[in-house]
Amino acid sequence: MSQKPSLAKGTRDFLPAQARKRQYIFRIIEEEFRNFGFQPLETPAMENLGTLEGKYGEEGDKLLFRILNSGDYLKDLSPDELQTGETQGITRKISEKGLRYDLTVPFARVVSMNRHLIHFPFKRYQIQPVWRADKPQRGRYREFYQCDADVVGSDSLMYEAELIQIYDRVFKKLGVPVQIAINHRSVLEGLAEQAGRPDLFMTMTLIIDKLDKIGAEAVKAELVRAGFEDDRAAWILDLLAGPDAALSEFEFNPRATTGVSALKKVREYASEAGLSNPLEFSPSLARGLSYYTGCILEVIPVGIKMGSLGGGGRYDNLTGVFGMPGVSGVGVSFGADRIYDVMEEQGLFPDGLDTPAQVLVICLDEESHRHGFGLASRLRAAGIRTDIYPEAAKLKKQFKHAEDLSIPFVLIIGEEERKKGLYPLKDQKTGAQSILTEAEIIRQMGMLSE
Amino acid sequence: MSQKPSLAKGTRDFLPAQARKRQYIFRIIEEEFRNFGFQPLETPAMENLGTLEGKYGEEGDKLLFRILNSGDYLKDLSPDELQTGETQGITRKISEKGLRYDLTVPFARVVSMNRHLIHFPFKRYQIQPVWRADKPQRGRYREFYQCDADVVGSDSLMYEAELIQIYDRVFKKLGVPVQIAINHRSVLEGLAEQAGRPDLFMTMTLIIDKLDKIGAEAVKAELVRAGFEDDRAAWILDLLAGPDAALSEFEFNPRATTGVSALKKVREYASEAGLSNPLEFSPSLARGLSYYTGCILEVIPVGIKMGSLGGGGRYDNLTGVFGMPGVSGVGVSFGADRIYDVMEEQGLFPDGLDTPAQVLVICLDEESHRHGFGLASRLRAAGIRTDIYPEAAKLKKQFKHAEDLSIPFVLIIGEEERKKGLYPLKDQKTGAQSILTEAEIIRQMGMLSE
């Protein structure tokens, strides 16, 4: 009967040490979302396929996890249909639901289904897993968390500044130095227009987005190959690769100037608030351009070789596909897995996240164990994470448990201690030991846990 | 192109007001788990079907949500197999993964896969959704959260007492008065034995579990119908229905006495800690008896018509099916949906959970809006949940937004205010208004948010 258990391909367990570190990241992000008045939303893992299909392009549709209908799911299929072996047609008949692929489409569904309940502008955040049937590889999983914050129902550029501030504050709290890059779709459109090929806007955008990877020469060559005049391609490169791409240099035509004005306004708000990390105009930034219609944002770690830790931008028409036109918004997303990797690599997680308790109560005899249980319970009531070894086992064994779990303090109770009400509290790291009353222990441990 | 969106059957969205209340419950539970040294675990939503199948009985297998293999999932099926239309055989070929049905089986998988990494006794908690293809009905959903805490790798009865304490403390914090019922499998076994029909143990257990629902007479009749002698059935009823079922009355044979001793030991620990809610010996309690092998626990709200809010017990052999024998443990679960319903019904949620922010900044002109954005950002930095209307709109409109979102305070900024650095802070409930400096606002709002 016994079987060798395994994880489903591309999925992960988070054991306590990892789970606590992930919680740490999520809590800091969530706290900032809440400080800025964003409201929590939770949607179910399963959506009707009608909600999901056609929203992520043909490739996306292939990456949806589909759920078999329950019961006798074959009953609606005629033998003929079955025999054709035509996968798409059969799928439609045997599967009605799929797993959430991102948090944006469910958000759009919620907004359009609850439009009369929601007060706009609506600021919502959502931190939940999504699933994609991608080929698993290093750093790419089939289940991963997304952390999104969006404001819909207002085109005020103040919200771009709020989201930039949230990035700024979260990464400051996490101790990860970042650069926040910003661009505007109109700047890119103006660039293509001024270079004489407004029709090549998308192509140009995809090419210049590779600037950091392939360098100026290669980008220029690609632009020419795509159909830009040689001198116009050179002009684009001059603008982009200039050592100080100044916003005002991009006021070369009305369309670009629209983008520049928006970016200036965002900057004005941001500087009113004050940022700890640099906000940089990055005219080649073109993240997910098919989706974004205004400002585009990206967060890149400074001094650490790692891709973007988050991104976002302004979009039009979030809910049009669900019959609710004209809802524009702006949103950002945090890449929790990458943030985790950066923090682990740089040793940025605070001490104490790797332990389940601040103190382990160790007892020398059964009577002391009962006494210790009462004491442990009062420490817990005071908010001190406390564990107690389940029996009066050998001292060595109990101390080893404290070491195994990296519990920093050990409190020892024997007959004498319990009679006097004075307990040795041992700092496992330094070996230092103080003899304290219960009240003193609570005070001392409480201070350490702040 | 536009479509009318809908939720998948049996699933729910949690809009902000609900989501915040649910978070409130989960956080209180999680805080207690952590205070007692329980460690977080997260497992993926998808498990290989080999992990899930055969663990929940035949009925359970039918309720598993199965995920279609990605890509051309029909390719491993011969036309002959397809043509048979034999659902079970086909399912096995086209679906390898399923959604988690509970948190216990994934926990068992994790323990057996990581047995060399885990230090025992291992205290873990897990708060995640599970999925069951049940027929949806009032109060029964296809996606719902489970909140479990378990200790494995020790048979110390101290852990039963810890879990009772967790129940006690969580419901005290939530403000829900409860009774914690406890029983022991050996008491029930001893009862069947003493009544002359050890072979009818399971049947007897199922019958007496209905005592509260159908009454003593009906239970007695059912016992006799099941095969118990009339006087023996009467004896059972006398014991169970006695107005004060005292533990010591159940020491009538060695098997029952084993159970009673365990229960006494648990009580001893619990009284060492001190409980706020009553812990009651409940000899007819038989929750999930096919699974539990020692103590059995259940939490029932007092004075509120609602089923149990949680339950648990001790089990043997958590991981035997995964090739790791001899792992015993004890665990409890919280019924989050029912707790939510009770708290909603009784108005037990604290004030302030229904609002996204403590204060809304309202500005009278554009210059003041920029100033207000800076002020809002400093309030947020001080940990005060703050929102600011996105533009200097009409006062009425901005005030309405504060009302719509139940934001309790409004801060008004016009030219005079920003020049003097003195701002009217209006209490939306009482209408009272004070003129304050920024520092005073931070102090006052900070105190309110404690």
Side-chain angles (χ1 to χ4, degrees):
Chain A
M1 261 286 301
S2 128
Q3 54 182 100
K4 201 173 144 51
S6 62
L7 271 163
K9 207 167 60 172
T11 69
R12 297 166 286 176
D13 289 323
F14 296 109
L15 294 180
Q18 287 166 290
R20 269 190 296 260
K21 287 176 180 169
R22 285 168 57 85
Q23 284 177 349
Y24 174 78
I25 294 171
F26 289 135
R27 277 182 194 170
I28 284 180
I29 294 172
E30 189 172 12
E31 194 176 73
E32 282 311 319
F33 286 164
R34 287 165 50 90
N35 268 349
F36 280 76
F38 284 79
Q39 310 204 64
L41 172 70
E42 287 179 47
T43 66
M46 295 185 294
E47 295 277 354
N48 289 322
L49 280 174
T51 300
L52 301 176
E53 281 175 334
K55 310 299 187 298
Y56 308 105
E58 216 173 298
E59 265 315 297
D61 278 357
K62 280 190 197 146
L63 300 183
L64 292 175
F65 277 112
R66 289 157 205 275
I67 294 163
L68 263 181
N69 294 342
S70 359
D72 185 8
Y73 58 86
L74 288 175
K75 68 175 189 303
D76 291 338
L77 273 178
S78 68
D80 283 356
E81 283 174 305
L82 259 178
Q83 215 174 347
T84 61
E86 203 268 296
T87 311
Q88 262 203 327
I90 293 178
T91 306
R92 207 161 296 138
K93 294 248 170 154
I94 66 178
S95 166
E96 281 168 4
K97 291 179 291 294
L99 293 180
R100 178 169 65 211
Y101 180 90
D102 74 357
L103 303 179
T104 303
V105 168
F107 174 47
R109 178 187 55 67
V110 168
V111 169
S112 46
M113 281 176 68
N114 299 279
R115 63 188 88 174
H116 304 300
L117 289 173
I118 292 173
H119 302 290
F120 296 95
F122 179 44
K123 302 167 89 170
R124 88 88 173 75
Y125 73 85
Q126 195 169 352
I127 302 177
Q128 288 193 289
V130 301
W131 296 269
R132 298 182 183 179
D134 252 320
K135 215 179 164 62
Q137 49 178 257
R138 198 175 158 274
R140 190 199 281 163
Y141 303 98
R142 291 184 150 189
E143 170 178 279
F144 58 96
Y145 268 71
Q146 290 194 332
C147 310
D148 287 10
D150 290 82
V151 195
V152 293
S154 163
D155 54 11
S156 169
L157 292 162
M158 177 193 84
Y159 289 122
E160 273 82 345
E162 281 197 356
L163 294 167
I164 288 167
Q165 259 195 293
I166 290 179
Y167 270 146
D168 184 58
R169 296 175 50 80
V170 164
F171 286 105
K172 189 187 173 194
K173 277 197 184 169
L174 292 174
V176 179
V178 295
Q179 183 194 300
I180 303 164
I182 188 168
N183 196 11
H184 195 287
R185 185 187 180 103
S186 296
V187 166
L188 290 162
E189 285 174 347
L191 209 56
E193 201 175 292
Q194 197 70 3
R197 294 303 296 266
D199 56 314
L200 291 179
F201 159 64
M202 269 295 178
T203 315
M204 178 203 77
T205 295
L206 291 173
I207 295 171
I208 67 176
D209 199 29
K210 294 190 273 184
L211 189 59
D212 286 345
K213 270 192 217 123
I214 63 175
E217 273 313 300
V219 164
K220 197 191 146 200
E222 280 201 35
L223 286 174
V224 171
R225 214 176 310 131
F228 284 89
E229 299 283 334
D230 200 79
D231 64 328
R232 297 286 78 196
W235 173 77
I236 292 176
L237 260 297
D238 272 359
L239 266 179
L240 294 183
D244 41 3
L247 255 178
S248 49
E249 283 178 36
F250 283 76
E251 290 170 318
F252 43 72
N253 65 18
R255 195 178 298 273
T257 303
T258 307
V260 169
S261 306
L263 292 171
K264 281 186 175 166
K265 182 102 186 166
V266 171
R267 275 208 171 165
E268 217 174 275
Y269 275 117
S271 69
E272 194 71 53
L275 299 178
S276 302
N277 294 288
L279 173 66
E280 302 267 359
F281 170 51
S282 172
S284 63
L285 177 66
R287 201 184 161 88
L289 202 54
S290 52
Y291 184 58
Y292 296 125
T293 54
C295 286
I296 307 162
L297 289 167
E298 189 166 69
V299 179
I300 304 134
V302 170
I304 304 161
K305 231 182 131 99
M306 176 84 71
S308 88
L309 302 182
R314 180 168 287 277
Y315 44 84
D316 277 344
N317 201 13
L318 176 74
T319 50
V321 70
F322 295 124
M324 186 189 184
V327 175
S328 90
V330 55
V332 292
S333 189
F334 284 83
D337 282 312
R338 281 213 187 140
I339 295 172
Y340 182 98
D341 289 346
V342 166
M343 293 189 62
E344 193 68 295
E345 209 179 288
Q346 305 281 313
L348 296 174
F349 286 109
D351 287 348
L353 284 184
D354 52 347
T355 170
Q358 298 158 262
V359 57
L360 179 72
V361 177
I362 282 180
C363 305
L364 306 185
D365 57 85
E366 221 182 309
E367 178 80 29
S368 301
H369 190 254
R370 247 196 321 278
H371 180 87
F373 188 76
L375 178 55
S377 116
R378 292 187 292 280
L379 294 183
R380 288 158 173 167
I384 298 160
R385 288 182 294 124
T386 305
D387 210 351
I388 169 168
Y389 201 80
E391 58 198 331
K394 287 215 176 98
L395 261 186
K396 202 178 152 189
K397 195 174 174 187
Q398 299 195 59
F399 267 102
K400 185 169 180 311
H401 193 64
E403 274 162 40
D404 285 344
L405 296 181
S406 312
I407 300 177
F409 286 89
V410 156
L411 197 153
I412 303 139
I413 308 184
E415 197 186 337
E416 205 190 311
E417 285 77 10
R418 110 181 154 250
K419 282 190 176 147
K420 289 194 183 153
L422 283 170
Y423 312 93
L425 182 72
K426 192 182 163 205
D427 182 328
Q428 287 281 87
K429 214 188 249 170
T430 64
Q433 189 169 294
S434 343
I435 311 290
L436 304 170
T437 64
E438 183 177 317
E440 287 166 342
I441 293 167
I442 289 176
R443 205 172 318 129
Q444 183 167 327
M445 297 303 303
M447 266 158 45
L448 286 171
S449 76
E450 295 291 286
Chain B
M1 262 283 303
S2 129
Q3 53 183 99
K4 202 172 143 54
S6 61
L7 270 164
K9 207 167 60 173
T11 68
R12 296 167 287 177
D13 288 323
F14 297 109
L15 293 180
Q18 288 166 290
R20 270 189 295 260
K21 287 176 180 170
R22 286 166 57 85
Q23 283 177 350
Y24 174 79
I25 294 171
F26 289 135
R27 276 182 194 169
I28 284 180
I29 294 172
E30 188 171 13
E31 192 176 73
E32 283 311 319
F33 286 164
R34 287 164 51 89
N35 269 348
F36 279 76
F38 284 79
Q39 310 204 62
L41 173 70
E42 287 178 48
T43 66
M46 296 185 292
E47 293 277 355
N48 289 322
L49 281 173
T51 301
L52 301 175
E53 280 175 335
K55 310 299 188 298
Y56 308 105
E58 217 172 299
E59 266 315 297
D61 278 356
K62 279 189 201 150
L63 300 183
L64 292 175
F65 276 113
R66 289 157 207 272
I67 295 165
L68 263 181
N69 295 341
S70 358
D72 184 9
Y73 58 86
L74 288 175
K75 70 176 189 301
D76 292 338
L77 274 178
S78 67
D80 283 357
E81 283 174 305
L82 258 179
Q83 216 173 346
T84 61
E86 202 267 293
T87 312
Q88 260 203 327
I90 293 177
T91 306
R92 208 161 295 136
K93 296 246 170 156
I94 66 176
S95 164
E96 281 168 4
K97 292 180 292 292
L99 292 180
R100 177 170 67 211
Y101 180 91
D102 73 357
L103 303 179
T104 303
V105 167
F107 175 47
R109 178 186 56 68
V110 168
V111 169
S112 45
M113 281 176 69
N114 299 280
R115 63 187 87 175
H116 304 300
L117 288 173
I118 292 172
H119 302 289
F120 296 95
F122 178 44
K123 302 168 90 169
R124 90 85 173 78
Y125 73 85
Q126 194 169 354
I127 301 177
Q128 289 192 288
V130 302
W131 295 270
R132 296 182 184 180
D134 252 320
K135 215 177 162 62
Q137 49 179 256
R138 199 177 158 274
R140 190 202 277 164
Y141 304 98
R142 291 183 150 191
E143 170 179 279
F144 57 97
Y145 269 72
Q146 290 195 332
C147 310
D148 287 12
D150 289 83
V151 195
V152 294
S154 163
D155 54 11
S156 169
L157 292 162
M158 177 193 84
Y159 289 122
E160 273 82 344
E162 280 197 357
L163 293 167
I164 287 167
Q165 259 195 292
I166 289 179
Y167 271 145
D168 184 59
R169 295 176 50 80
V170 164
F171 286 105
K172 190 185 172 197
K173 278 196 182 170
L174 292 174
V176 179
V178 296
Q179 184 195 299
I180 303 164
I182 188 167
N183 196 10
H184 196 286
R185 185 186 180 103
S186 296
V187 166
L188 289 162
E189 285 174 347
L191 208 58
E193 199 175 293
Q194 197 70 3
R197 296 301 297 265
D199 56 315
L200 290 179
F201 158 65
M202 269 293 179
T203 314
M204 177 202 79
T205 294
L206 290 174
I207 295 171
I208 65 176
D209 198 29
K210 295 190 272 186
L211 189 58
D212 286 344
K213 270 191 218 126
I214 63 175
E217 274 313 299
V219 164
K220 199 191 143 198
E222 280 202 35
L223 286 173
V224 171
R225 214 175 309 130
F228 283 90
E229 298 282 335
D230 201 80
D231 65 329
R232 295 286 78 197
W235 172 78
I236 291 176
L237 260 297
D238 273 0
L239 266 179
L240 294 183
D244 43 3
L247 254 178
S248 50
E249 283 178 36
F250 284 77
E251 290 169 318
F252 42 72
N253 67 17
R255 194 176 299 273
T257 302
T258 307
V260 169
S261 307
L263 292 170
K264 281 186 174 164
K265 182 100 189 170
V266 171
R267 275 210 169 164
E268 216 174 276
Y269 275 118
S271 69
E272 193 70 53
L275 298 178
S276 302
N277 294 287
L279 173 66
E280 301 268 359
F281 170 52
S282 172
S284 63
L285 176 66
R287 201 186 161 86
L289 201 56
S290 52
Y291 184 58
Y292 296 124
T293 53
C295 285
I296 305 161
L297 289 168
E298 189 166 68
V299 179
I300 304 134
V302 170
I304 304 161
K305 230 182 131 100
M306 176 83 72
S308 88
L309 303 181
R314 180 168 287 278
Y315 45 84
D316 278 343
N317 202 14
L318 174 74
T319 49
V321 70
F322 295 124
M324 185 187 183
V327 175
S328 89
V330 56
V332 293
S333 190
F334 284 82
D337 283 312
R338 283 214 187 138
I339 294 171
Y340 182 99
D341 290 345
V342 166
M343 292 188 62
E344 192 68 294
E345 210 180 288
Q346 305 281 313
L348 296 174
F349 286 110
D351 287 347
L353 283 184
D354 52 348
T355 169
Q358 298 159 262
V359 58
L360 179 71
V361 177
I362 281 180
C363 305
L364 306 185
D365 58 84
E366 220 183 310
E367 177 82 29
S368 301
H369 190 254
R370 247 196 320 277
H371 180 88
F373 187 76
L375 178 55
S377 115
R378 293 187 292 278
L379 295 182
R380 289 158 173 167
I384 297 159
R385 288 183 294 125
T386 305
D387 211 350
I388 169 167
Y389 200 80
E391 57 198 330
K394 287 215 175 98
L395 261 185
K396 203 178 153 191
K397 195 173 175 189
Q398 299 194 59
F399 267 102
K400 184 168 182 308
H401 193 63
E403 272 162 43
D404 285 344
L405 297 181
S406 312
I407 300 178
F409 286 89
V410 156
L411 197 151
I412 302 139
I413 308 184
E415 196 187 339
E416 203 191 314
E417 286 77 11
R418 110 181 156 251
K419 282 190 178 149
K420 289 195 184 152
L422 283 170
Y423 313 92
L425 182 71
K426 191 181 164 207
D427 183 328
Q428 288 281 87
K429 214 188 251 169
T430 64
Q433 188 168 296
S434 341
I435 312 290
L436 303 171
T437 64
E438 183 178 318
E440 286 166 342
I441 293 166
I442 289 176
R443 204 173 318 130
Q444 185 168 327
M445 296 305 302
M447 268 159 43
L448 286 171
S449 76
E450 296 290 285

